[in-house]
Amino acid sequence: MTADEHPSPRAGRREWLALAALALPTLLIALDMNVLGLAVPALSADLKPTGTQLLWINDIYGFLIAGFLITMGTLGDKIGRRRLLLIGGAAFGAASAVAAFSTSAEMLIAARAVLGVAGATLMPSTMSLIRNLFHDPAQRTVAISVWMTSFTAGSALGPLLGAVLLENFWWGSVFLLSVPVMVLLLVCGPILLPESRNDAAGGVDLASVALSLIGMLATVYGLKKFAETGFGWPAAAAFAGGLLILHTFVRRQRALREPLLDLRLFADRGFTAAITVQTLAVFGVAGGFFFVAQYLQLVLGLSPLEAGLWTVPSTVAGIAGTMLAPAIVRRLRASVVLGGGMLLAVAGFVLLTFTRPDSGVAVVVTGFALLSFGFGPAMTVTTDLIMASAPPERAGAASALSETGSELGMALGIAVLGSIGTAVYRIGVREGTPHGVPPEPAAVAHDTLGGAVTVAAELPAGMASRLLAVARVAFTDGFHVTAWIGAAITAGLAVLAMALLRPAGPGPRPAADVVCGGTKET
């Protein structure tokens, strides 16, 4: 029996309350990714971590989320998405409390590691539960918009809330935000959320878990090292080794009767096209996100809090675009909405190329807001197409692939576009460094704009101002190059989306058997 013969059931009040329960942990995951940066000076003074330990405190959370997404998405399909969500929520709340009251760097690293693993259970579980709560295509698009809005809001609120808490409390307070929300999830989740799982799923292949974890960790680690230090053999070896392990993982999935990740998802043209466009779109905008924050602080001279406040308009624009997407999709094809959003993002990129070291905040804030406004509906539409293309019993795996693609797109975009922008900066600042700057400080200034700002503070006033002027012009030139590249990639994706997804839309799919609330539902 097809969905055309039996219209999909519409969600009621219970389902929308369940969505609210799912939105809260999503907001907190994004918040936790962005809240730590401002706390680093205070926790460094208290815990006295080594340089290596400080890097692990910052990075291990994101590394383990990326590494465990595929495993946890598929595990939720097998054991139950609500069960996995509640287990992850309990672990996330407990680890947040431990992180807040850590008495050593090692204790904080361990707590952040558990937070990463728990975060990997929450992200695919929330999205796959939405897929099984909202069967009506129009309602599902709205639900996905709310989910994405929660993630966007969390990303923006992280630095702002962190600044407020650090003004009034100790550094550990930034972690305690999660605890009451996770308690609320554990209380309301069993009441509001129906259980859903693939009743026909087999066991978990531990070798596949190890391959996906090690492969993703090595790949993301290599990309982050490229972004931080440029090309180097350790980063190249990690990246190449990660890709080789992931290739082995894919070959194993094809050979297994009960694979960890069902690659038949990619047989659906709409699924493959949507996840490709989404990953490349994130890659394209990564340079913008990477350079805008530095431009506001290091070129325009704003404080971290001021820079955070000036990113609020782009967050509001992104939320507005995301929430408008369901209404637009009801009137236009998904491919048109996706292509139109991409073209708006292109306009935002082009506007960013008009920034100058002395142009003030208006141009960069407007350009970034326009980029975010176009990017919001594009991400909503691709996520909706990904989830609509996957059978309900594979919703967890589909969600995990979507999140993994975004993680890889962001890491690869920052590594590649960040390296290009940095290379342009280094060429410009080497050619314009004032005579008389000692060789060692000059080498520091040639490496990054942050290094130039630090060096300038120790130079005579006239020489410092000339060095800063050259460094800021060079950085802005690199920013422009990456903006033009982002514009070209995004414009190409607009055409690609219109071509590949022309027949696609968030319409109903054939129903599939899925356990919901303990009974099979069709």
Side-chain angles (χ1 to χ4, degrees), residues 36-410:
L36 184 63
L38 295 177
V40 166
L43 72 85
S44 296
D46 189 16
L47 302 182
K48 298 178 174 56
T50 64
T52 301
Q53 287 174 330
L54 189 59
L55 286 175
W56 279 112
I57 289 170
N58 277 288
D59 292 341
I60 197 166
Y61 177 75
F63 280 164
L64 290 181
I65 281 183
F68 274 102
L69 276 172
I70 291 175
T71 297
M72 294 305 180
T74 306
L75 184 62
D77 289 341
K78 293 176 183 292
I79 70 169
R81 294 147 193 143
R82 184 183 70 180
R83 177 186 296 179
L84 186 65
L85 176 68
L86 296 178
I87 292 171
F92 200 95
S96 296
V98 172
F101 296 101
S102 292
T103 55
S104 67
E106 294 84 357
M107 185 176 177
L108 182 55
I109 291 169
R112 292 276 290 170
V114 175
L115 283 170
V117 177
T121 70
L122 298 175
M123 293 174 74
S125 295
T126 53
M127 179 54 69
S128 56
L129 282 166
I130 288 172
R131 171 66 177 87
N132 286 281
L133 280 167
F134 296 90
H135 300 280
D136 178 76
Q139 289 187 320
R140 185 181 60 242
T141 306
V142 174
I144 288 174
S145 295
V146 172
W147 182 86
M148 295 201 66
T149 295
S150 301
F151 196 86
T152 303
S155 299
L157 287 173
L160 298 178
L161 285 176
V164 171
L165 288 171
L166 290 169
E167 286 286 330
N168 297 282
F169 304 101
W170 88 114
W171 61 264
S173 61
V174 300
F175 294 107
L176 292 180
L177 289 169
S178 306
V179 176
V181 175
M182 290 306 171
V183 170
L184 184 64
L185 175 67
L186 294 175
V187 172
C188 296
I191 300 170
L192 296 174
L193 300 173
E195 183 60 281
S196 66
R197 64 182 180 273
N198 180 7
D199 223 16
V204 176
D205 179 56
L206 295 181
S208 295
V209 172
L211 287 171
S212 69
L213 175 62
I214 296 170
M216 282 296 301
L217 287 177
T219 302
V220 174
Y221 175 81
L223 290 173
K224 283 181 69 70
K225 285 300 175 187
F226 277 131
E228 291 170 1
T229 62
F231 180 83
W233 288 114
F239 180 67
L243 291 181
L244 181 62
I245 293 169
L246 290 176
H247 176 68
T248 305
F249 169 78
V250 170
R251 292 186 61 184
R252 182 172 179 83
Q253 302 318 291
R254 288 174 175 163
L256 288 174
R257 185 176 179 182
E258 291 287 344
L260 179 69
L261 178 64
D262 192 344
L263 298 178
R264 289 175 296 178
L265 286 168
F266 290 98
D268 187 292
R269 178 172 174 267
F271 179 89
T272 303
I275 206 166
T276 301
V277 169
Q278 185 181 79
T279 301
L280 292 176
V282 174
F283 172 87
V285 302
F289 285 102
F290 180 69
F291 280 96
V292 164
Q294 295 183 72
Y295 176 84
L296 288 171
Q297 294 183 58
L298 299 178
V299 175
L300 299 185
L302 303 181
S303 69
L305 181 57
E306 289 172 332
L309 289 172
W310 277 114
T311 62
V312 170
S314 67
T315 302
V316 173
I319 290 172
T322 300
M323 296 306 296
L324 282 173
I328 302 172
V329 167
R330 285 198 290 269
R331 292 165 176 81
L332 299 172
R333 286 200 312 269
S335 58
V336 175
V337 178
L338 180 54
M342 293 292 186
L343 291 177
L344 282 174
V346 170
F349 275 121
V350 172
L351 191 54
L352 290 176
T353 65
F354 287 89
T355 52
R356 298 289 181 268
D358 58 351
S359 60
V361 297
V363 176
V364 67
V365 169
T366 305
F368 199 38
L370 188 57
L371 190 160
S372 300
F373 184 76
F375 188 62
M379 292 298 291
T380 300
V381 169
T382 51
T383 302
D384 190 27
L385 289 172
I386 289 166
M387 299 311 297
S389 299
E393 68 272 14
R394 298 184 210 163
S399 175
L401 284 170
S402 174
E403 297 293 339
T404 301
S406 295
E407 290 280 343
L408 285 176
M410 182 61 73

Side-chain angles (χ1 to χ4, degrees), residues 358-501:
D358 58 351
S359 60
V361 297
V363 176
V364 67
V365 169
T366 305
F368 199 38
L370 188 57
L371 190 160
S372 300
F373 184 76
F375 188 62
M379 292 298 291
T380 300
V381 169
T382 51
T383 302
D384 190 27
L385 289 172
I386 289 166
M387 299 311 297
S389 299
E393 68 272 14
R394 298 184 210 163
S399 175
L401 284 170
S402 174
E403 297 293 339
T404 301
S406 295
E407 290 280 343
L408 285 176
M410 182 61 73
L412 187 60
I414 290 174
V416 174
L417 298 177
S419 296
I420 292 172
T422 300
V424 173
Y425 165 81
R426 288 171 178 166
I427 292 171
V429 79
R430 281 195 188 102
E431 293 176 349
T433 299
H435 294 292
V437 178
E440 189 173 334
V444 174
H446 294 168
D447 193 34
T448 64
L449 177 56
V453 171
T454 301
V455 166
E458 301 174 357
L459 295 175
M463 187 182 295
S465 63
R466 292 196 299 273
L467 175 62
L468 282 178
V470 167
R472 284 167 173 160
V473 168
F475 180 88
T476 305
D477 289 342
F479 183 18
H480 292 169
V481 170
T482 59
W484 280 118
I485 294 172
I489 292 171
T490 308
L493 286 175
V495 176
L496 185 67
M498 295 286 287
L500 291 181
L501 299 173

